Amino acid sequence: MSRIGETRRYDAPGIGARAFNGAIRRLAEAGVSTQGATALRVRGRHSGRTHAVVVNLLRVDGRDYLVSPRGDTQWARNARAAGEVELGPRRRSQTAGIVEIGDDDKPELLRRYLDRWYWQVRGHIGGLTPSSTPEQVRAAGASIPVFEVVRQG
């Protein structure tokens, strides 16, 4: 049986990572993508204010996915509650629905994510590496939110 997000883990970024991610986010919001970085904005579940972060948009077989390698982050919790996100540069952003992926369907997506962005997320993706066994990927997947992006219109 597929469970969604039963295990909660959050690997909080340090001050250096927050500063670096902020700079990359500003570039992505201006339309400059660095190594697949995409601006994501989501409505806060408590404040109602829009919060912005930078994410790597994973494309597999013509479908887009959002992976939260640091675990149950604020953006992941807000996206889960809102059911939609805004993606792309501010001047050309698109609102898209999201559907959380069940744990049974995560391993192949996580493997692809690791293959592409491990160098960025090493140490922050539930202990996984590109050489992790299928069993390790499946076990860690419960603590890594993954969402399919559902384009509207």
Side-chain angles (χ1 to χ4, degrees):
M1 180 178 187
S2 179
R3 298 180 326 256
I4 295 177
E6 186 171 294
T7 302
R8 301 287 184 222
R9 174 186 63 82
Y10 174 48
D11 182 14
I15 193 165
R18 285 194 309 270
F20 180 76
N21 288 344
I24 298 300
R25 178 185 50 79
R26 284 188 290 284
L27 287 171
E29 286 182 337
V32 178
S33 178
T34 306
Q35 300 295 321
T38 301
L40 177 142
R41 286 168 298 285
V42 63
R43 186 178 65 249
R45 62 194 183 285
H46 297 295
S47 70
R49 291 188 328 220
T50 299
H51 299 277
V53 296
V54 65
V55 295
N56 291 318
L57 190 62
L58 176 67
R59 179 158 277 220
V60 176
D61 299 330
R63 293 178 163 181
D64 291 331
Y65 298 91
L66 298 170
V67 175
S68 182
R70 290 183 175 270
D72 207 30
T73 60
Q74 289 293 332
W75 79 256
R77 285 184 264 171
N78 287 335
R80 188 179 293 124
E84 65 181 20
V85 296
E86 192 177 311
L87 292 166
R90 283 204 180 270
R91 68 182 180 279
R92 295 187 324 266
S93 67
Q94 295 180 339
T95 299
I98 56 161
V99 175
E100 193 159 6
I101 301 298
D103 292 347
D104 292 343
D105 298 321
K106 290 180 187 177
E108 178 59 26
L109 297 170
L110 292 174
R111 177 73 59 204
R112 301 254 189 127
Y113 191 90
L114 286 166
D115 288 346
R116 178 134 188 226
W117 288 296
Y118 177 70
W119 63 276
Q120 284 183 2
V121 299
R122 69 178 177 267
H124 303 292
I125 188 157
L128 296 176
T129 70
S131 61
S132 294
T133 66
E135 294 78 21
Q136 290 169 322
V137 174
R138 180 172 291 287
S143 72
I144 303 170
V146 179
F147 302 91
E148 182 177 358
V149 177
V150 181
R151 304 285 178 181
Q152 299 172 352

